[in-house]
């Protein structure tokens, strides 16, 4: 009864207007047998004060990143969020509306998404971007489905060095519809996708090849070389990016990628225990009409003034139904707004500073660990995330370090049995010299 | 009125957030990363200051309709009030600043919350098990169908390729079916707006994998024969999926599990009052029967040695439908909603939602057409067919006229089987005063349609922009800012 505004008098007047004696009459179409078992067993309702106390009690059983020093990665990072981001995305005018189907009532959200799309194009070097998807993992799945639609081929090659969750989500989304998803091996020394093996695997049935940049081990891939191989085989290249890295890294559009996806959480979203996240999605113009998800276009109103609206909806399921490009009918609008505000707040210079600081801190950590006898697993260039080998199972190292106040990982053994003694480490701009030296001391042998 | 974009006001050298100087060795980037991998030019992001950003978004915000300021009776979207305490709880560091890779023993509160919400939703839905992983309603719908496919495959029953979907279904239903490699058989509704068991019998066969049913359906009508429908579908060896978009009509009144559904998807952003965010993030948990539980996405929260832990080792699972555990912070808000309401409160939610929809229906059925007689559930579908025939004023123009009264339009032209449909879902959180005003405005628009229809062709006139040219937008896609 917490949020319903009717008084008993209101209810009585509404029932009377309907000529009814009791509310029960409105439920007469539900068979009585269903009503008899319909009351759920739930805890007693709480007042707001009790609710806040209960939430605090539960949250106290968690150790958040205010309590643990975070060197964990794997797609979710502990990055600084400027106050302006939180302020903008807390406005009820952005928080509470629905999808902007009525453009005259939604210019705020629409223009913000138009600006977001432009920023994603600028970051990735692509021609067009959508207004976001659920997360990086499902964005990869959508990219694979789009590539199969665009090429009429049904085989997708995913680098084994892509984040495991993204590969898993792609399998779940694609295989039932008849797409064969195959992993491409990675090189044991470099941690890069094995391009020789990729060349052998490419054939006339391959729709697309997907590579991480940097990949799931933090290693920088040879994207341009891969693009030549992929395009020679008539397939499309999908790049899965970490967006902060694009402050310094060559954009995939300059390296031959046809579709770019990525996990947008580092752009102003809290880790949130893994959700909500932000699926970045951009592609070359020629694939515009195969692109999944919402898109905002600029147009004019009846008086010729600039206006914005959702566009190219004939791709979408409410019109094309079973032949739609995707079943997705929402985006992560508020998360995309956070990313747009974040990118505006940082600007090109700030984004470069965040990326560069992260690189320096991660490399300092790598150097200290090497001195302390903890070896980097792969020998190719990286930015701010890398894999180290520890003594014994990495899961145990993660648990030990957590007890000492450091969050590291994920441990890689569950997804890569051959890397059972390996874990990921990431450093962001938030990590201080003292914290880095502390972790190196804690991990040293 | 036009607000320039951030790109329009950008000037080289302006900035907002600065980073501190490096407190560790800071070699030149090219000494760490080979030059071939570095970008030659910085991305052309806007260069603006904090006051400019704040002003820009404040002005954009003022151009949106939103639930705090506007009645928003968008059918099937359940635009109810979003409690403020949800935002306070979800913003707390103990939830928002949890890293999903944290070992389970350090996030027991989060695992408990997931376990509790899954358990409470299972109670509300009458299902054996729930997964919070699907990040949206369409994702939940696909998850259910994907589980059905895995169940049929596991039994070696691979000849089933058709899914029966009523003509009143949501558009995502057929799109999700296609993703499972199946095809749709559309089922025509009976004269009462409900599934006819006779028509269903003709459509069923041993090649049918599933039936998808929204209950109440998109006409706002309860499928009274649901028990018989479920029995027929099960007898044919197929499974029953419930699109839970309309769960706001059922809380404490009827449970999909008791109706014979094998899987159901729910939208936390509808029934459980989490905000829609201008199109997301939402969340689309799924509930399934005990027979289907092994197929749910991984990982699952389980109890192990008296403590909550993650279970990744579930060989029958369909895999993953989101990178981690779903839209967790949305689930935190739903946790708060269920905890604040309890069973009696949720039942009252449904009662007041159904009462409001019927109150509006009864008041408007004289001025508009009511295509299907009788009481509705949480939403009513009216038709503007008669006004359209008599005056030329279409449903879309009625919708645009509402904007000039600071009311968000209902869902239009859906379901597809109703001409000039106006699908109105008032929800339980609008006061009688608001409903009375809406009724008065609708009656006034109906009168204006008869007396001066040309005035409605120009609506809206009071919104930040006039009627937007969507045709040009689609013909000449202009999807990113470029310098003039």
């Amino acid at each position: 009864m917490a949020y319903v505004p009717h008084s008993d008098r209101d209810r009585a007047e509404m029932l009377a207007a309907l000529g009814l004696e009791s509310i029960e009459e409105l439920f007469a179409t539900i068979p009585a047998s269903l009503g008899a078992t319909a009351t759920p067993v739930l805890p007693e309702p709480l007042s707001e004060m009790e609710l806040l106390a209960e939430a605090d009690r539960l949250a106290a059983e968690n150790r958040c990143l205010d309590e643990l020093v975070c060197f964990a990665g794997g797609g979710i990072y502990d990055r600084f969020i400027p106050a302006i981001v939180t302020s903008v995305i807390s406005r009820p005018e952005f928080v509470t509306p629905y999808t902007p189907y009525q453009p005259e009532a939604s210019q705020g959200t629409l223009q913000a998404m138009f600006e977001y799309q432009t920023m994603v194009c600028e970051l990735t070097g692509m021609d067009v971007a959508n207004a976001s998807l659920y997360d990086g993992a499902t964005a990869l799945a959508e990219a694979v489905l789009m590539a199969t639609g665009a090429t009429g081929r049904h085989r997708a090659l995913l680098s084994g060095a892509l984040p495991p969750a993204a590969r898993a989500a792609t399998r779940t989304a694609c295989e039932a519809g008849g797409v064969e998803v195959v992993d491409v091996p990675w090189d044991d020394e470099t941690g890069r996708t094995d391009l020789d093996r990729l060349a052998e695997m490419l054939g006339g049935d391959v729709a697309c090849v997907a590579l991480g940049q940097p990949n799931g081990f933090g290693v920088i891939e040879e994207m341009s070389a891969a693009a030549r191989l992929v395009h020679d085989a008539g397939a499309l290249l999908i790049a899965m990016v970490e967006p902060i890295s694009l402050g310094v890294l060559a954009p995939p559009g300059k390296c031959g990628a046809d579709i770019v996806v990525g996990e947008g959480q580092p752009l102003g979203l809290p880790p949130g225990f893994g959700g909500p996240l932000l699926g970045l999605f951009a592609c070359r113009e020629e694939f515009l009409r195969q692109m999944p998800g919402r898109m905002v276009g600029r147009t004019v109103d009846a008086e010729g003034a600039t206006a914005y609206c959702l566009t190219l909806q004939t791709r979408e399921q409410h019109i094309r139904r079973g032949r739609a490009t995707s079943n997705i009918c929402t985006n992560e609008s508020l998360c995309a707004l956070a990313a747009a505000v974040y990118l505006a707040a940082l600007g090109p210079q700030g984004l470069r500073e965040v990326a560069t600081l992260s690189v320096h801190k991660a490399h300092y950590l790598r150097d200290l660990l090497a001195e302390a006898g903890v070896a980097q697993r792969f020998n190719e260039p990286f930015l701010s995330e890398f894999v180290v080998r520890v003594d014994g199972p990495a899961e145990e190292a993660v648990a030990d370090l957590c007890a000492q106040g450091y969050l590291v990982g994920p441990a890689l053994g569950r997804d890569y049995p051959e890397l059972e003694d390996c874990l990921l480490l990431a450093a962001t701009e938030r990590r201080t010299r003292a914290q880095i030296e502390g972790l190196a001391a804690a991990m040293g042998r | 009125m036009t607000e320039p974009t951030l790109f329009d006001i950008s000037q080289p050298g302006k900035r907002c957030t600065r980073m501190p100087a490096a407190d560790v060795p800071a070699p030149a980037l090219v000494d760490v990363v080979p030059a071939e991998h570095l970008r030659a030019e910085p991305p052309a992001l806007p260069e603006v200051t904090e006051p400019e950003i704040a002003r820009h978004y404040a002005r954009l915000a003022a151009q949106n309709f939103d639930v705090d300021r506007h009645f928003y009776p968008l059918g099937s979207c359940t635009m109810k009030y979003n409690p403020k305490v949800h935002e306070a709880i979800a913003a707390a560091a103990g939830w928002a600043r949890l890293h999903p890779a944290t070992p389970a023993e350090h996030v027991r509160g989060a695992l408990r919350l997931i376990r509790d919400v899954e358990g409470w939703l299972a109670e509300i839905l009458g299902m054996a098990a729930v997964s919070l992983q699907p990040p949206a309603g369409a994702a939940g719908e696909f998850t259910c169908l994907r589980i059905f496919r895995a169940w049929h495959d596991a039994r070696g029953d691979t000849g089933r390729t058709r899914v029966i979907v009523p003509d009143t279904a949501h558009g995502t239903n057929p799109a999700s079916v296609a993703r499972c490699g199946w095809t749709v058989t559309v089922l025509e509704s009976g004269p009462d707006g409900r599934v006819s068991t006779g028509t269903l019998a003709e459509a069923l066969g041993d090649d049918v994998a599933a039936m998808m049913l929204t209950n109440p359906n998109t006409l706002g009508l309860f499928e009274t024969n649901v028990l018989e429908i479920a029995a027929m579908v099960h007898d044919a060896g197929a499974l029953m999926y419930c699109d839970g978009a309309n769960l706001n009509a059922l809380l404490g009144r009827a449970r999909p599990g008791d109706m014979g559904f094998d899987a159901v998807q729910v939208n936390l952003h509808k029934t459980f009052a989490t905000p829609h965010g201008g199109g997301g993030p939402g969340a689309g948990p799924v509930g399934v029967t005990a027979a289907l539980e092994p197929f749910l996405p991984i990982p699952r929260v389980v109890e192990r040695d008296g403590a909550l832990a993650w279970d990744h080792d579930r060989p029958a699972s369909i895999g993953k439908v989101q990178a981690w555990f779903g839209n967790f912070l949305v689930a935190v808000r739903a946790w708060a909603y269920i905890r604040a309401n309890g069973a009696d409160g949720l039942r009252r939610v449904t009662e007041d939602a159904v009462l409001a929809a019927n109150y509006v229906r009864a008041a408007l059925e004289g001025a508009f057409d009511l295509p299907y007689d009788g009481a509705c559930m949480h939403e009513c579908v009216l038709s503007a067919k008669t006004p359209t025939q008599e005056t030329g004023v279409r449903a879309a123009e009625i919708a645009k006229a509402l904007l000039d009264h600071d009311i968000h339009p209902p869902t239009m032209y859906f379901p597809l089987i109703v001409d000039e449909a106006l699908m109105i879902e008032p929800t339980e959180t609008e006061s009688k005063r608001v409903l009375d005003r809406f009724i008065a405005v609708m009656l006034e628009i109906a009168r204006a349609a008869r007396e001066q229809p040309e005035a409605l062709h120009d609506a809206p006139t009071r919104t930040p922009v006039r009627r937007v040219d969507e045709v040009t937008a689609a013909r000449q896609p202009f999807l990113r800012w470029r310098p003039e």
Side-chain angles (χ1 to χ4, degrees):
Chain A
M1 281 160 248
Y3 312 107
V4 291
H6 302 308
S7 66
D8 287 344
R9 198 183 81 186
D10 289 337
R11 290 192 185 92
E13 286 177 9
M14 290 162 76
L15 277 175
L18 290 165
L20 300 179
E21 297 281 319
S22 142
I23 191 87
E24 296 303 320
E25 295 172 60
L26 289 174
F27 293 90
T29 52
I30 298 181
S33 65
L34 293 176
T37 56
T39 304
V41 177
L42 298 174
E44 285 302 305
L46 299 180
S47 67
E48 182 168 327
M49 210 162 80
E50 294 167 308
L51 185 62
L52 285 163
E54 179 65 6
D56 283 347
R57 190 186 67 74
L58 266 186
E61 294 177 43
N62 299 326
R63 293 178 79 197
C64 73
L65 299 187
D66 291 351
E67 298 159 73
L68 296 168
V69 180
C70 182
F71 288 95
I76 305 287
Y77 304 92
D78 179 25
R79 294 205 174 271
F80 177 72
I81 302 175
I84 185 72
V85 175
T86 313
S87 167
V88 170
I89 65 162
S90 302
R91 285 182 168 276
E93 301 94 327
F94 289 126
V95 172
T96 66
Y98 190 65
T99 300
Y101 282 125
Q102 292 286 341
E104 298 85 1
S106 317
Q107 287 297 299
T109 294
L110 288 162
Q111 183 173 335
M113 290 304 102
F114 178 81
E115 295 177 13
Y116 162 85
Q117 289 169 188
T118 309
M119 293 178 193
V120 174
C121 290
E122 286 297 337
L123 275 185
T124 58
M126 290 280 119
D127 302 318
V128 286
N130 71 13
S132 75
L133 297 172
Y134 306 136
D135 66 0
T138 52
L140 178 63
E142 291 292 326
V144 166
L145 286 167
M146 175 176 140
T148 58
T151 58
R153 302 175 176 187
H154 292 92
R155 209 152 187 261
L157 305 184
L158 304 187
S159 163
L162 278 164
R167 285 185 287 125
T170 302
R171 286 212 160 76
T172 303
C174 298
E175 286 180 340
V179 179
E180 190 191 355
V181 180
V182 185
D183 281 347
V184 182
W186 43 273
D187 184 279
D188 187 62
E189 275 184 24
T190 63
R192 279 176 168 165
T193 308
D194 186 332
L195 295 189
D196 292 335
R197 295 293 305 280
L198 172 62
E200 293 163 18
M201 295 170 79
L202 280 163
D205 57 347
V206 174
C208 59
V209 174
L211 256 58
Q213 186 68 319
N215 68 24
F217 301 137
V219 173
I220 299 173
E221 294 274 10
E222 294 166 295
M223 192 63 72
S224 299
R228 286 189 289 275
L229 290 176
V230 172
H231 291 156
D232 283 350
L236 304 183
L237 179 63
I238 301 169
M240 184 170 191
V241 298
E242 190 286 304
I244 297 291
S245 72
L246 293 174
V248 294
L249 221 48
K254 292 267 191 220
C255 306
D258 300 289
I259 307 171
V260 180
V261 298
E263 175 46 63
Q265 178 272 336
L267 304 175
L269 298 178
F273 208 45
L277 301 173
L278 175 66
L280 305 171
F281 196 105
C283 66
R284 295 195 188 283
E285 182 127 35
E286 62 185 290
F287 305 117
L288 171 61
R289 283 170 202 278
Q290 275 102 40
M291 191 153 68
R294 298 283 190 229
M295 269 181 268
V296 174
R298 179 185 267 188
T299 180
V300 292
D301 74 357
E303 294 181 335
T306 297
Y308 301 86
C309 64
L310 292 177
T311 193
L312 299 174
Q313 295 191 64
T314 48
R315 300 165 299 114
E316 292 185 26
Q317 57 302 124
H318 60 281
I319 294 172
R320 290 200 82 189
R321 299 180 81 83
R323 292 176 298 115
T325 54
S326 165
N327 73 337
I328 292 180
C329 62
T330 49
N331 59 344
E332 300 284 275
S333 194
L334 200 65
C335 303
L337 177 66
V341 182
Y342 177 88
L343 288 169
L346 271 295
Q349 186 61 30
L351 190 66
R352 184 183 166 83
E353 287 173 6
V354 170
T356 309
L357 267 181
S358 305
V359 169
H360 293 327
K361 299 200 179 204
H363 283 75
Y364 183 56
L365 175 62
R366 191 269 313 262
D367 293 346
L368 290 186
L369 286 173
E371 284 170 23
V374 180
Q376 192 182 352
R377 176 64 177 76
F378 301 115
N379 61 12
E380 282 302 318
F382 69 103
L383 291 172
S384 55
E385 186 166 15
F386 57 101
V387 177
V388 291
R389 178 184 275 151
V390 296
D391 288 331
E395 293 271 6
E396 288 174 18
V398 171
D400 285 349
L401 287 162
C402 215
Q404 297 177 63
Y406 296 100
L407 183 63
V408 299
L412 294 171
R414 188 168 58 234
D415 299 299
Y416 302 96
E418 65 273 45
L419 299 177
E420 207 209 343
D421 57 352
C422 293
L423 56 86
L424 279 165
L425 289 174
T428 69
E429 74 284 2
R430 293 187 65 149
R431 297 289 72 85
T432 64
R433 182 177 194 126
Q435 290 170 338
I436 293 166
E437 290 170 353
L439 177 67
M443 289 184 76
R445 324 200 147 150
Chain B
M1 204 65 202
T2 304
E3 173 68 11
T5 67
L6 287 172
F7 296 92
D8 291 309
I9 63 172
S10 170
Q11 280 183 38
K14 280 195 183 183
R15 44 188 317 197
C16 171
T17 307
R18 287 163 199 277
M19 285 293 120
D23 59 353
V24 297
L29 213 48
V30 285
D31 293 341
V32 182
V33 180
E36 74 209 63
H37 294 304
L38 295 176
R39 78 187 291 156
E41 287 173 19
L45 297 171
E47 297 181 68
V48 286
T49 60
E50 179 165 332
E52 290 169 306
I53 296 172
R55 177 72 51 81
H56 176 67
Y57 286 106
R59 287 172 56 88
L60 289 184
Q63 297 189 27
N64 275 356
F65 275 42
D66 70 284
V67 174
D68 271 14
R69 289 179 303 159
H70 300 88
F71 181 42
Y72 213 125
L74 197 60
S76 270
C77 298
T78 315
M79 301 300 291
K80 61 172 74 175
Y81 173 73
N82 307 134
K84 300 303 175 192
V85 70
H86 291 183
E87 303 309 305
I89 292 172
W95 304 115
R97 286 185 42 71
L98 288 186
H99 195 290
T102 310
E105 58 265 36
H106 299 288
V107 284
R108 298 266 191 241
L111 269 64
R112 167 55 59 195
L113 186 140
I114 290 172
R115 181 91 161 170
D116 281 349
V117 174
E118 288 181 350
W120 298 338
L121 290 177
E123 267 292 313
I124 290 165
L125 298 169
M127 306 306 291
V130 166
S131 166
L132 298 183
Q133 196 176 115
E141 176 184 278
F142 170 75
T143 301
C144 290
L145 292 176
R146 186 69 190 78
I147 286 171
F148 286 2
R149 167 114 201 203
W151 185 79
H152 285 308
D153 287 351
R155 290 155 45 97
D157 192 355
T158 54
R160 296 179 183 271
T161 56
R162 285 195 297 131
V163 176
I164 296 177
V165 182
D167 55 7
T168 51
H170 292 113
T172 54
N173 286 184
S176 293
V177 170
R179 289 214 149 177
C180 280
W182 288 335
T183 57
V184 168
T185 298
V186 175
L187 197 67
E188 211 171 292
S189 301
D192 61 347
R194 296 176 169 90
V195 169
S196 137
T197 49
T199 317
L200 174 63
E202 287 165 28
L204 281 169
D206 60 9
D207 60 341
V208 171
M211 174 168 187
M212 304 176 82
L213 191 62
T214 307
N215 200 12
N217 65 27
T218 57
L219 293 164
L221 303 175
F222 192 85
E223 293 283 357
T224 312
N225 294 327
V226 62
L227 291 166
E228 197 183 342
I229 292 167
M232 290 169 69
V233 169
H234 288 150
D235 284 349
L239 296 172
M240 282 288 285
Y241 162 78
C242 180
D243 182 325
N246 295 340
L247 185 66
N248 217 42
L250 300 179
L251 300 171
R253 286 284 172 177
R255 307 194 302 173
D258 298 339
M259 298 177 206
F261 286 103
D262 300 286
V264 54
Q265 152 276 333
V266 298
N267 302 287
L268 297 185
H269 47 286
K270 295 181 182 178
T271 315
F272 297 93
T274 74
H276 283 72
V286 297
V288 296
T289 57
L292 297 178
E293 183 178 8
F295 301 97
L296 285 172
I298 47 171
R300 301 276 300 149
V301 178
V302 294
E303 209 159 308
R304 196 181 287 149
D305 306 327
L308 296 178
W310 290 115
D311 182 9
H312 291 266
D313 186 20
R314 300 173 73 86
S317 166
I318 61 163
K320 294 193 67 62
V321 294
Q322 196 257 8
W324 297 91
F325 325 123
N327 283 350
F328 175 77
L329 294 180
V330 177
V332 168
R333 292 169 169 91
W335 173 90
Y337 186 70
I338 297 171
R339 215 57 191 88
N341 275 286
D344 289 345
L346 293 180
R347 186 183 170 95
R348 175 47 67 81
V349 162
T350 283
E351 288 177 0
D352 282 354
V354 172
L355 179 60
N358 279 286
Y359 183 68
V360 169
R361 170 190 58 79
L364 295 181
E365 66 185 354
F368 298 88
D369 305 301
L370 184 67
Y372 298 93
D373 282 340
C376 60
M377 299 295 290
H378 68 305
E379 62 191 359
C380 64
V381 177
L382 299 174
S383 163
K385 196 173 169 185
T386 303
T388 301
Q389 284 167 351
E390 290 174 358
T391 68
V393 172
R394 302 197 58 198
E397 288 163 317
I398 293 167
K400 300 297 183 196
L402 280 167
L403 292 171
D404 279 338
H405 294 272
D406 281 335
I407 292 171
H408 194 283
T411 297
M412 303 175 299
Y413 301 109
F414 190 82
L416 305 172
I417 57 171
V418 174
D419 290 335
E420 300 297 322
L422 291 166
M423 184 197 231
I424 302 167
E425 181 179 8
T427 85
E428 74 283 0
T429 61
E430 298 297 339
S431 68
K432 179 169 176 293
R433 210 167 61 81
V434 172
L435 299 178
D436 285 338
R437 176 168 179 269
F438 172 66
I439 289 164
V441 168
M442 285 292 281
L443 295 176
E444 187 186 324
I445 291 171
R447 199 186 63 236
R450 286 192 303 274
E451 292 172 4
Q452 36 177 191
E454 62 286 350
L456 293 183
H457 296 322
D458 291 337
T461 59
R462 297 180 55 234
T463 43
V465 295
R466 300 289 300 274
R467 193 85 59 100
V468 173
D469 184 353
E470 301 184 47
V471 175
T472 301
R475 281 202 187 132
Q476 298 161 3
F478 183 175
L479 303 171
R480 53 153 300 173
W481 183 90
R482 290 191 191 281
E484 309 244 325

